[in-house]
Amino acid sequence: MPNIVVVGAQWGDEGKGKVIDMLADRCDIIVRFQGGNNAGHTVVVGGREFVMHLIPSGILHPGKYCLIGNGVVVDPQVLLEEIEGLRASGIEVENNLGLSDQAHLILPYHKALDKLREQKVGAGKIGTTGRGIGPCYADKANRVGIRVADWMDDEVFRRKLAMNLEEKNALFSRLYQAPAFGFEEIYRAYAGFRERIARCVVHAPVFLNEAIAQGKSVLFEGAQGTWLDIDHGTYPYVTSSNATAGGACVGTGVPPTKIDRVMGVVKAYTTRVGEGPFPTEFPPDLMGKIRAKGKEFGATTGRPRRCGWFDAILVKSSVLINGITEIAVTKLDVLDDSPRVKICTAYRLGDKLLAHPPAAIDRWQEVEPVYEEHPGWLKDTSEVTSFEELPPQARRYLKRLEELLRVRISIISVGSKREQAFRV
Ligand code: GDP
Ligand code: IMO
Ligand code: MG
């Protein structure tokens, strides 16, 4: 089994959790490489729904090793709650979970800063998940972040926490007129979490590269999606990490020469949570229908997701940026009741037709989608188990996507349950 990177090719929530769960069966190690508990990855097995925020979606497969890589920002309280939640459901989380000693810690002041900033900017907000992701990555880039290895050393942790609090508390009191954080309270809570997490800590680059050298295969689990990537996404309406395939190397210490394949996950349509451009967004009537049928409410914050038609311009650029070698299409069943389905094949900007998204956010907001229309299939696909069994209109829709994206579709998903998907 090759080493595969799985990335979202839209704005997140493409169904990566479900696809990872499918692929996990055939690999040895599953590693998350970026993001934090802004992610919500859903897997439905045996009538039970599991939503993973930090732990890789391979955890439901006994005998697989799951790792949280250095590129991830970790809220230890959330991690412990997730471990306990899984255990309470009878899932084994013992020696099969590792945490990189180079991952950064989310602290209470990161969460407070995230929310205060959003409140302060008002209408110009990003619509973040409020989980402290941006401020934590900002500290990482600013070289004042606290890494897992720092946290494990009591003296270093105390020193770094005190230093950070001095700076952050000045911000809280002067800029935001918000209460300061006390050292003792955070220190005691995090020392408690540390005791329970210490046994998971590993040095991921050595662990992973040695495993690969021994012939083990690694599945790299991306969070968010290409258009939420800090460099390649709809900046500034993005998250603060590299959700594209390159992030898999940076966020784990496994070199590009060890990656064999990149799978892009897309919905058969498009969704986005939070603010920012969305050229193919549905008008209100369709929005309500697809949102209800697709249960399009955030797995992390419960916010309604914005929904729209499939945007081939967006995904074509994702294929390019990520080097996508195959595509998994999810939620095809959600379009079952649509008499017509549309695909955006170009952006119109003034009198020009664009084949790639623009970089400037103001241009992004101005582009108009150019659509081609296809007849819908108006048949229930949720029980279909092969490409050949799909209604002809659905097959033609998928073939057209392959043609436009110039990449093959290798997985099709027609429902949230583990069994509702097939390989092509
Ligand atoms: P992720 O963040 O990319 O892992 O995706 P989420 O879990 O946030 O959102 C995907 C949602 O769609 C979850 O509720 C899944 O259970 C559900 N889902 C996944 N694949 C399908 C599918 O083919 N059809 C339907 N109807 N739901 C699906
Ligand atoms: P998964 O892994 C969808 C969005 C937020 C917001 C922006 C920045 O489940 O696909 P942040 O809290 O990261 O600073 O918020 O990114 N966002 C996601 N949208 N799926 C996600 O993760 C997301 N993680 C962050 O809604 O617009
Ligand atoms: Mg999600």
Side-chain angles (χ1 to χ4, degrees):
M1 173 82 175
N3 299 321
I4 305 184
V5 178
V6 175
V7 290
Q10 293 160 327
W11 276 292
D13 301 328
E14 296 90 347
K16 299 176 293 295
K18 182 176 170 172
V19 170
I20 292 279
D21 173 67
M22 264 184 94
L23 299 177
D25 217 17
R26 299 190 189 172
C27 72
D28 302 297
I29 299 169
I30 303 99
V31 55
R32 257 290 294 276
F33 58 85
Q34 43 72 234
N37 59 306
N38 47 351
H41 297 178
T42 316
V43 183
V44 182
V45 188
R48 283 193 300 177
E49 184 181 84
F50 299 88
V51 181
M52 264 65 72
H53 299 286
L54 281 167
I55 297 178
S57 307
I59 197 76
L60 305 180
H61 291 265
K64 307 293 175 185
Y65 187 78
C66 290
L67 184 60
I68 298 170
N70 58 276
V72 178
V73 288
V74 178
D75 184 330
Q77 187 173 356
V78 173
L79 178 58
L80 284 165
E81 282 167 11
E82 201 166 315
I83 293 172
E84 289 313 321
L86 285 166
R87 282 184 184 151
S89 304
I91 307 298
E92 183 202 336
V93 192
E94 294 293 338
N95 300 326
N96 55 342
L97 178 68
L99 169 64
S100 165
D101 55 4
Q102 293 166 299
H104 279 247
L105 279 194
I106 295 181
L107 286 124
Y109 47 80
H110 292 130
K111 293 182 258 188
L113 264 178
D114 192 359
K115 291 179 190 136
L116 286 167
R117 253 190 216 156
E118 288 274 280
Q119 277 164 24
K120 198 172 173 71
V121 296
K125 69 181 199 293
I126 307 288
T128 72
T129 59
R131 303 299 196 258
I133 308 297
C136 184
Y137 277 115
D139 276 2
K140 173 177 175 175
N142 214 9
R143 292 150 297 176
V144 295
I146 302 180
R147 307 210 286 187
V148 168
D150 302 329
W151 181 38
M152 291 297 139
D153 180 324
D154 195 59
E155 199 203 313
V156 177
F157 179 53
R158 281 175 167 276
R159 178 165 44 82
K160 288 200 153 193
L161 178 61
M163 187 185 79
N164 273 287
L165 276 175
E166 205 179 312
E167 192 191 26
K168 298 296 188 295
N169 279 337
L171 256 182
F172 286 124
S173 63
R174 296 200 200 131
L175 185 64
Y176 294 110
Q177 284 82 47
F181 280 91
F183 175 92
E184 274 309 317
E185 202 182 326
I186 300 181
Y187 171 76
R188 254 188 265 123
Y190 275 63
F193 302 146
R194 179 173 60 194
E195 258 178 46
R196 298 162 63 196
I197 288 179
R199 55 196 291 270
C200 296
V201 177
V202 290
H203 188 55
V206 172
F207 174 86
L208 286 170
N209 282 291
E210 282 183 358
I212 292 170
Q214 288 162 13
K216 297 234 161 70
S217 62
V218 181
L219 185 55
F220 298 81
E221 175 169 347
Q224 289 82 54
T226 301
W227 299 95
L228 287 172
D229 180 284
I230 181 116
D231 284 275
H232 300 288
T234 45
Y235 192 91
Y237 300 98
V238 292
T239 190
S240 301
S241 64
N242 287 112
T244 41
C249 296
V250 180
T252 61
V254 175
T257 46
K258 296 286 190 301
I259 309 283
D260 301 296
R261 284 158 47 184
V262 180
M263 179 173 287
V265 186
V266 294
K267 278 180 183 158
Y269 49 101
T270 313
T271 64
R272 144 161 238 175
V273 196
E275 309 305 317
F278 187 171
T280 63
E281 192 163 11
F282 287 138
D285 54 328
L286 254 175
M287 181 77 83
K289 278 189 198 138
I290 298 289
R291 185 181 284 152
K293 172 118 178 138
K295 301 199 177 75
E296 294 295 357
F297 296 89
T300 297
T301 58
R303 288 178 291 173
R305 295 177 183 143
R306 299 157 66 192
C307 307
W309 293 117
F310 190 92
D311 186 340
I313 288 293
L314 204 70
V315 179
K316 225 162 76 177
S317 288
S318 297
V319 170
L320 185 111
I321 293 163
N322 294 293
I324 288 171
T325 54
E326 62 234 83
I327 287 215
V329 177
T330 65
K331 304 193 94 158
L332 186 70
D333 55 300
V334 177
L335 298 181
D336 283 355
D337 309 329
S338 304
R340 305 199 66 75
V341 285
K342 291 194 200 181
I343 304 172
C344 168
T345 55
Y347 288 164
R348 196 185 304 282
L349 183 66
D351 54 6
K352 287 203 191 86
L353 277 187
L354 307 185
H356 298 282
I361 197 67
D362 291 346
R363 300 293 85 69
W364 251 116
Q365 305 276 18
E366 288 165 13
V367 298
E368 295 281 340
V370 178
Y371 288 118
E372 58 179 40
E373 249 186 61
H374 298 266
W377 40 96
L378 299 173
K379 284 212 175 72
D380 181 0
T381 59
S382 65
E383 310 264 299
V384 169
T385 56
S386 71
F387 186 77
E388 293 67 34
E389 268 176 65
L390 284 170
Q393 297 88 338
R395 289 204 303 262
R396 274 202 290 277
Y397 179 68
L398 293 167
K399 282 282 162 210
R400 181 63 183 145
L401 294 187
E402 277 188 332
E403 212 172 83
L404 288 165
L405 305 174
R406 299 213 187 99
V407 61
R408 111 192 143 85
I409 293 171
S410 64
I411 289 179
I412 296 171
S413 172
V414 290
S416 58
K417 295 182 192 145
R418 191 183 255 174
E419 12 354 312
Q420 287 177 300
F422 49 89
R423 291 168 199 271
V424 184

